[in-house]
Amino acid sequence: RAAVSALASSYGGETAPTFDNEWEHEMAGAEKLAKHVPAWAAEIMLDEAAGAEYEAEQARARAEAHVLVEGREWGDGGGAGGDGGDGEAFGSGAFTPAEIGDDYGAPLEAVLAKLLDLGVPERDLRPERPLSEACTAAQVASLVHYLQGCDPIELREGLADESIGELASELGVPHDAVLELARRLKLRPFLGAATLLPRNELALLRNECVRGAR
């Protein structure tokens, strides 16, 4: 239900508390928040049974999506050494972005985007390069923490259904031209023409391609 509450926080017209006064504000109740979220989310917030069923379904989906990478094993503490220490210390730094994405059922684009947000230079973001060669131990640990708390289904649903290359083919525009436009728009075509952008970003790219063709 935390995901629904997070969604609710992005709706409504109330001013968000600042760091100075955030503890002076009480959290809005479920009934108040339910007015600002989609109907399916409101039902989950207001119906305890529906909420419990939703959480159980999400847990089952995450378990089904989680597939250990062949040849790599996590320890009991979540990492190769099982000590629960930082990412590199317990072995996850040996994974590539592609492997760790597969292990957590997360789209590669989401893994690379998070690494960029954590401060890893874009020139070092390679799907098949071990994390330890491009990231600090703290960055690896932050990535692992992020992936452990994510819903892989939600991450996938946040991406468009067609790639940049498929959009280019649909519009009859050269792939290189669309990729160059994506970069000018400061989008993140990590995987070239095979990249799946967030839905709103692909919509923006489509509109700009159509506008440029007029």
Side-chain angles (χ1 to χ4, degrees), residues 1-5 44-45 47-62 151:
R1 209 168 301 179
V4 176
S5 297
I44 293 171
M45 294 183 71
D47 187 327
E48 185 173 347
E53 182 180 354
Y54 174 80
E55 291 175 356
E57 288 177 355
Q58 293 299 301
R60 284 194 296 270
R62 284 193 293 270
D151 182 342

Side-chain angles (χ1 to χ4, degrees), residues 154-173:
E154 185 175 318
L155 289 178
R156 288 197 298 274
E157 290 181 345
L159 299 177
D161 295 326
E162 62 179 344
S163 67
I164 291 177
E166 290 170 332
L167 172 65
S169 297
E170 176 189 335
L171 298 177
V173 179

Side-chain angles (χ1 to χ4, degrees), residues 132-149:
S132 60
E133 295 183 6
C135 310
T136 65
Q139 288 170 331
V140 176
S142 294
L143 175 65
V144 170
H145 180 74
Y146 166 74
L147 292 173
Q148 287 174 340

Side-chain angles (χ1 to χ4, degrees), residues 164 167-168 171 173-189 192-193 197 201-214:
I164 291 177
L167 172 65
L171 298 177
V173 179
H175 290 195
D176 289 345
V178 178
L179 284 170
E180 179 58 30
L181 177 59
R183 296 186 182 99
R184 290 208 306 269
L185 293 172
K186 300 188 183 304
L187 306 182
R188 296 173 169 180
L197 292 171
E201 293 185 4
L202 187 75
L204 170 63
L205 184 59
R206 176 188 294 275
N207 290 339
E208 291 299 318
C209 285
V210 172
R211 181 181 303 173
R214 291 175 180 172

Side-chain angles (χ1 to χ4, degrees), residues 12 21 67 85 111 151:
N21 66 3
V67 180
V111 176
D151 182 342

